[in-house]
Structures are given as C-alpha cells and as structure tokens.
Amino acid sequence: MTTAVIGLGLIGGTFALALKDEKISTSIIGVENNEIHASKALQLGLVDEVLPLIEAVKKADLIILATPVTIASEQLTEILNNISTQIVTDTGSTKLGLIEAIKNHPKRGRYVPSHPMWGTEFSGPEAARHNVLNGIVNIICDKNDSDEDALEFIENIYNRIGMRLVYMNSVAHDTHLAYVSHISHISSFALANTVLGKEKEEDTIFNLASSGFESTVRLAKSNAATWVPVFKQNKENVLDVLNEYISQLRKFKSALEKENWEYLNELIENSNEIKRVLDKNVKDENISLKQISKQVVSKK
Amino acid sequence: MTTAVIGLGLIGGTFALALKDEKISTSIIGVENNEIHASKALQLGLVDEVLPLIEAVKKADLIILATPVTIASEQLTEILNNISTQIVTDTGSTKLGLIEAIKNHPKRGRYVPSHPMWGTEFSGPEAARHNVLNGIVNIICDKNDSDEDALEFIENIYNRIGMRLVYMNSVAHDTHLAYVSHISHISSFALANTVLGKEKEEDTIFNLASSGFESTVRLAKSNAATWVPVFKQNKENVLDVLNEYISQLRKFKSALEKENWEYLNELIENSNEIKRVLDKNVKDENISLKQISKQVVSKK
C-alpha cells in the first residue's frame, strides 16, 4: 500500500515511521512545502520520495493530513477534489473546522477525521519518533459520516499501530480539547512570558528553576505554527475556558489580598481532586475507555 | 552525631534518609505532631525515635526544621530559646518570614537558613525518598548572619549529601522563588480547578488528558498544608507575579477576541524563548551556578 503523508513534522513523521515499522505501508510519499524539512525527512528515511500535493494524492491509497489545522482545512478540499476511492484521514487537534469545510463535498465519506492524543513540545521531522503511538488514544469523530469501508480501513490501520480508538462527535471533541489540552498550552505560554519578563532584571532566576517549574512550563516550547491555527479554529471554546481560568486565578488573588487563608486552603484542596481523577484514569483506563466510547457514541 | 528532624513529611523524611544513607548521623530523633505520620516514620525507619520538640532539641547536635513555613517560624524561636551551641537549619520555601522572626535573637548565629530546591507533588513520610538530593541546588540565605562555625558545619553536611550550594540574600530569594516556583503552583491549582469545574458536566473529559495536560497540572497535587503557609509568608511577591501572570493571560485573551493572529503568534514565539533559557541552564549549569553565587554574594 502507498501512503501520502501531508506535512512532515513531528506528527506526520511519527505516523510515517509507524506505518513503515508495522509494515503497513511499503511506500510512503511525503508532501512538504518547507524544503529544508522535505530533504531532512528524506535523509532521515521518514519518506521514500517527496512530491507535490496532487501528484502524491493521485498515487496514494491512503492520505494522512498532518499540517497545521488551518492549512489542513484548505488542503482537505483540494485532496477530496482529486481522489476517486482513496481514503483520507487527518491528525488535527481541532475537528469542527476541518469537517465544516468539506461537509457538503461529494467525497465527504472518504474522509475519516481523527485526532491522535500524542505530541511532544518539539517540532519538525527530527522530532519524529519510533514506537510511541502504541497505547495512545486516537479520537475518531463523526464516524457515521464516513463511508463504512473507509472507517473500517482506518480503524484497522490504527489498531495495527496499537492505538486505542475513542469515538466522539466533533462538537464535543473541540469543547473537551479546549479543556484538557488547549488551555494547558496557554497556561504555559503565559507562564513563560511572565518569567521571561522578569529575566530582563534577573538573569540568574533560571538557575533556580526546579523540576516543578520545568514541568509546568514545558508546553511553552510548543511551536506557534501548530498552535495559532488550533486557537484560531477553536477560538470560542478556548476563550470560554480562558475566561474561566482567569476567573479561577482571580479567586487565588482575592484570597491572598484578603488574607483569607481558609479560602486559599479550600481552593488548593479542591484542586487536589485532580489527583483522584488522574489516578483513577491510570487504574481504570480500560474500563473508562470503554465507557467513554459508549457514552460518546450514544450521544451521536 | 545526633540530628533532630522537626516535621516528618516529604522533605524532613528525605533529609533523614540522606543523613542515614551517608552515615552523617548515627541517631535521628523525629518530632512530629501528627501521630499517624510519627508512627509511619518510625515504621519506615526514617527516624530512630520520636520525642517532643524541646526534648529532641536538647539531645541533638543538629536540628533540621522541615515543618510548613508558618509553623517553622514559631518553632524556630522556641528552638533557639532551648539550644546552647547546637546548630539549626531549615528547609522552607520562603526565607524572609523565618529570618525576620528571630533576627534579634541572641542565638541568631546558630541558625543557617537554607532552601533545598527539591520536592515532589506528594506529601507525608511515605513520600520520603532515598538518593534524590545529590546534585540538587540548596540555597543558603544571609550567610554572613550565621556564625562561621555553624555555616561551615552546614555547608559540610550539604556537600556530603552532594548538594550544590548557592548563596543569596533572603529578600532576593523570596522574590525569585515567587517567579520560579510559587506562581507555577498557583497556575496548576487554578488549571485543575478550571477543568474540575467542567467535570461536573462531562465525566469523560479526563480520559482524554494527554501527557501535556498531566505535566502542566502535576503541581496541583501539592498539599495545602505546605502551600498556604508559603503563600502567606510570600504574599506580596506572589501577588505581584500573579497580577503579571493574569495580565499575560489577558494578552492571549485579547489576541483571540480581536482575532489578531500575528499578535498571538508573537506571544507564543516570545514564550518559546524559555527553551533557550532552560537548555542553557542544562549546558552551562556549573558556570551559571558559580556566576549566581558570585552575583548574589556581591549584592549582600
């Protein structure tokens, strides 16, 4: 089988490696506008050749779209315009924008929207990694809008890579993701800017960064080319959560200003509940994933 | 040598283990008001016996104060009232409050304020760990206010545990720590509260928490008994940084509301600078630590 991977960054490169490692795809064609990334991807063996978009699409059985979500929205129409029975999936962190862009396209059924819940703070083809997708949740959205054979084909491939499939409608997906992922990034970006503002005065501050700071600020290494499009496409949800986040921070501010230590204690103890939830997550992973699939499917 | 460790939680317990492991202390007396923690610490072998504060102080050559910082402030006076030539150090995340509390005490010189830059999100004696302090920065504050022999004694012990000593005045310490540690905690606590608020509606959201969310929210597992006192003692600095943090978040909000994607891009790229700083930190660690020591000492 021949696969076209559109966008040879962290995610596209990692999927290219997984398809090769699992012997799912014998030939991988890359599509990449950035020439440095393109030749790096060839050099690293992520892809066998690099071709222009339409040429790659026409030669491929499977097309995986892994460009920033705003670019992916534009490319998706072009891809669907140029396929016959091939199958298209994507890896974007927002889903509604992509799906809306092609909802009335005659080839809509060939597209299976998906979102693998994996990433690192690094970017570019050098960031691609072997053997990291096994066990990772991959969310398939609006599955009833894909052709049955296309859905089955994509499910089969993700299963062979070892991914755990979760089904969700695209509206719920984008709301959930604003909470569990997008706001974490804004929280880290703003934290980095806060501390970097201070650095002008105190160059030494960073030597004191213990692991607590490093883990909280880790996502601030994530690149703008990926994240501006995500925030653009998920603007309303992200704004809702950001407003809620600022209002939660104001509660800490108010507790400090009023020296209301009981309230501060309550705010912290409330936040500690995250421990129970995350721990439950680890223990009951399989059960929860089954539950989530059922719940989400039943909502559709 | 006999050591009294006051407060048998994560930090006190970890120092007790280090002193035993490095054969620095042959006998360790614990002081702990929480009876469950006290018997757990005995059972785990963190300490050889548990005694009331004054009794322990009188029997010890070295006293390590590892209770929450507001309690430590009160205990420090009581300890200094009851020592002759023994030496006292502490492990608190704020320094000015403790030092102010005893600045005119006739035994001030026997106290060497220190802050080991280590911790985890766990608490209690079960959270104590072996072999984790080696290579960790330990900040000694206002060193000229300690007796020369007491300072040397403490430096020697921390060196034997493998800690890297940094010297700083207590005012600078508390400002720096608000930036590199205290705000990270508030950022995580508030993030957890934001997401937990949502959980009431969507029990399934947590199954989607990828590693990005988990690392950003990790510190929200930290306990209120430690952190309320820190915020209490470092109130003004923490409020300054929190205001700055909220104002940085408002920039993201404004960029989103105005759909000013260029500005959003700029905000993210600016935050990416943290990568350079944290990476520099790893590479130039030894040089920077020497620099920091010189700079801070010269400020005193």
Side-chain angles (χ1 to χ4, degrees), chain A residues 188-243:
Chain A
S188 276
F189 291 137
L191 184 62
N193 285 343
T194 302
V195 177
L196 286 161
K198 179 72 177 171
E199 192 207 11
K200 285 157 200 158
E201 296 157 46
E202 301 282 357
D203 189 44
T204 55
I205 200 164
F206 297 101
N207 294 292
L208 304 182
S210 60
S211 60
F213 175 70
E214 286 213 44
S215 88
T216 319
V217 90
R218 184 172 69 83
L219 297 178
K221 299 177 180 177
S222 308
N223 77 336
T226 302
W227 284 95
V228 171
V230 169
F231 297 140
K232 205 167 166 177
Q233 293 228 334
N234 207 16
K235 182 192 142 187
E236 296 304 334
N237 285 319
V238 171
L239 267 174
D240 281 354
V241 188
L242 182 51
N243 282 327

Side-chain angles (χ1 to χ4, degrees), chain A residues 117 204 208 220 270 272 295, chain B residues 117 193 204 208 220 270 272 295:
Chain A
M117 296 290 293
T204 55
L208 304 182
N270 184 64
N272 289 165
Q295 282 177 20
Chain B
M117 295 290 292
N193 285 344
T204 56
L208 305 182
N270 184 65
N272 288 164
Q295 282 177 21

Side-chain angles (χ1 to χ4, degrees), chain A residues 251-267:
Chain A
K251 292 182 186 176
F252 282 86
K253 187 182 159 178
S254 158
L256 279 162
E257 279 172 345
K258 293 179 182 153
E259 306 200 339
N260 187 343
W261 310 122
E262 265 176 54
Y263 183 42
L264 187 61
N265 196 79
E266 195 185 296
L267 289 172

Side-chain angles (χ1 to χ4, degrees), chain B residues 18-45:
Chain B
L19 292 176
K20 284 203 163 189
D21 291 344
E22 298 301 325
K23 304 193 193 326
I24 294 167
S25 208
T26 44
S27 155
I28 298 193
I29 309 169
V31 177
E32 176 58 62
N33 287 337
N34 178 322
E35 279 178 29
I36 298 166
H37 283 189
S39 59
K40 193 78 197 172
L42 278 167
Q43 185 193 324
L44 291 167

Side-chain angles (χ1 to χ4, degrees), chain A residues 117 180 187 189 193 204 206-208 213 220 222 235 243 245 253 259 270-272 277 281 288 295, chain B residues 117 180 187 189 193 204 206-208 213 220 222 235 243 245 250 253 259 270-272 277 281 288 295:
Chain A
M117 296 290 293
V180 295
S187 153
F189 291 137
N193 285 343
T204 55
F206 297 101
N207 294 292
L208 304 182
F213 175 70
S222 308
K235 182 192 142 187
N243 282 327
Y245 184 50
K253 187 182 159 178
E259 306 200 339
N270 184 64
S271 85
N272 289 165
V277 176
N281 209 11
S288 303
Q295 282 177 20
Chain B
M117 295 290 292
V180 296
S187 154
F189 291 136
N193 285 344
T204 56
F206 297 101
N207 294 292
L208 305 182
F213 175 70
S222 308
K235 180 193 144 188
N243 282 326
Y245 184 50
R250 283 216 194 90
K253 186 182 161 179
E259 305 198 341
N270 184 65
S271 85
N272 288 164
V277 177
N281 208 13
S288 303
Q295 282 177 21

Side-chain angles (χ1 to χ4, degrees), chain A residues 186 189-190 193-194 197 200 239 242 246, chain B residues 243-268 270:
Chain A
I186 292 184
F189 291 137
N193 285 343
T194 302
K200 285 157 200 158
L239 267 174
L242 182 51
I246 292 172
Chain B
N243 282 326
E244 175 59 22
Y245 184 50
I246 291 173
S247 114
Q248 290 291 345
L249 285 165
R250 283 216 194 90
K251 292 181 185 178
F252 282 85
K253 186 182 161 179
S254 158
L256 279 161
E257 279 171 346
K258 294 179 183 154
E259 305 198 341
N260 188 342
W261 311 122
E262 267 177 53
Y263 182 43
L264 187 60
N265 196 77
E266 195 184 297
L267 289 172
I268 295 177
N270 184 65

